[in-house]
Amino acid sequence: MTPLKAILQVLAALASLSVLPAVAQTRTQSYGGRDMLVHVPPSPPRALVVVLHGGLGNAERIEGRMNERSMNLDALADKDGFIVAYLNGTPVTRMTGMRAFGWNAGACCGMSAANRIDDVGYIAGAVNDLLSRFHIPRGRAFVIGHSNGAMMALRMMCETRTFAAAISISGALETNDDKCPAAKDARILAIHGAEDETVPVAGGAGSVGVAVFRGLWTFNYNSEAYTAKIFRGSGATYDLELVAGAPHALDDLDAALRKRDGLSIGDETVRFFGLANVR
């Protein structure tokens, strides 16, 4: 080994130590003018999981277990050695305050879509930044999202190769693309409550939900059948898991999964992404 190569290896090791805490920590970090919550395990991480909140949600509510708490993966991250990044969208309506966020998932939803916010570019940039800073190999980034966040995760899989695999919960592809060339060889798990009346499995307008109740927007969602057809036709693996008796709400869906299979959404996440016992 040359002296220069040895020096570079030492510097890389020191840089890695500088971003790793002695104990697990959740840090508020900034990228692209938005806050994100990044949970770092105490062991050297070998993967990154990005969590995308649903419409009218935000990262703080998930990480703080106030809403969509079934996507809080902190404990599993500590156990299995991966980083979790809870990202924030942008204000989805003028009526619901600055902490009610959404994603531009294509045709859906609210101000995020109407203003054509570049969430694809934002998420791809945030992932690249995190992979670089924590020395995580490319191909070890994964994404999970619920509702509007699921739609955003699917858009990322359709248009970029940012993530190796995705879990979409209670959402469909809303870009109206005929093909998703970037999805070739990608893996997608779709989890959808069979009794979802907000984003119906068969598509169409939802009959319940905050958006309908407050008249914030109306939208005819695409179906799971359409979504599966587009991704499978593009060379991706798209597995649909219907949960009988489960509604749209994430934590109710999680409860139904636990009752049926004895597995939480978090358990399914680490299994599907291949992250269990990565150390």
Side-chain angles (χ1 to χ4, degrees), residues 65-112:
R65 301 180 187 276
M66 294 176 283
N67 191 31
E68 297 180 308
R69 58 185 179 272
S70 303
M71 289 197 300
N72 184 308
L73 304 177
D74 291 0
L76 289 166
D78 294 343
K79 175 177 177 289
D80 295 319
F82 59 91
I83 287 175
V84 188
Y86 304 91
L87 303 191
N88 276 312
T90 57
V92 71
T93 77
R94 293 184 178 87
M95 301 168 57
T96 51
M98 293 300 292
R99 302 306 294 173
F101 293 148
W103 303 100
N104 175 13
C108 182
C109 294
M111 287 173 54
S112 303

Side-chain angles (χ1 to χ4, degrees), residues 7-199:
I7 292 171
L8 290 175
Q9 286 188 349
V10 171
L11 291 175
L14 290 173
S16 177
L17 290 173
S18 70
V19 298
L20 291 176
V23 295
Q25 292 182 6
T26 301
R27 306 168 176 173
T28 300
Q29 301 185 8
S30 179
Y31 180 83
R34 306 186 205 179
D35 287 342
M36 58 182 175
L37 294 176
V38 180
H39 183 85
V40 183
S43 60
R46 295 293 181 264
L48 167 68
V49 177
V50 169
V51 177
L52 303 180
H53 59 77
L56 303 179
N58 64 47
E60 291 79 7
R61 290 177 194 161
I62 299 175
E63 211 284 327
R65 301 180 187 276
M66 294 176 283
N67 191 31
E68 297 180 308
R69 58 185 179 272
S70 303
M71 289 197 300
N72 184 308
L73 304 177
D74 291 0
L76 289 166
D78 294 343
K79 175 177 177 289
D80 295 319
F82 59 91
I83 287 175
V84 188
Y86 304 91
L87 303 191
N88 276 312
T90 57
V92 71
T93 77
R94 293 184 178 87
M95 301 168 57
T96 51
M98 293 300 292
R99 302 306 294 173
F101 293 148
W103 303 100
N104 175 13
C108 182
C109 294
M111 287 173 54
S112 303
N115 294 336
R116 299 190 178 186
I117 301 297
D118 184 15
D119 284 323
V120 171
Y122 168 73
I123 293 170
V127 169
N128 288 337
D129 178 66
L130 290 165
L131 292 179
S132 176
R133 285 196 290 114
F134 290 99
H135 308 286
I136 297 172
R138 296 196 175 276
R140 298 294 292 166
F142 308 93
V143 62
I144 179 173
H146 172 243
S147 192
N148 181 217
M151 300 167 195
M152 190 67 227
L154 292 171
R155 182 175 188 182
M156 294 298 298
M157 299 301 288
C158 182
E159 298 181 8
T160 78
R161 297 191 69 84
T162 303
F163 301 106
I167 296 178
S168 163
I169 305 174
S170 308
L173 180 65
E174 301 298 348
T175 61
N176 294 323
D177 288 303
D178 293 328
K179 293 182 180 179
C180 294
K184 189 177 187 302
D185 298 325
R187 297 185 303 116
I188 301 170
L189 172 63
I191 303 173
H192 215 128
E195 309 307 319
D196 190 334
E197 296 181 62
T198 302
V199 182

Side-chain angles (χ1 to χ4, degrees), residues 1 22 34 83 120 162 176 181 209 221-222 225 246-247 250 256 258 266 278:
M1 180 184 296
R34 306 186 205 179
I83 287 175
V120 171
T162 303
N176 294 323
Y221 299 101
N222 286 327
L250 179 66
R258 290 172 183 267
V278 295

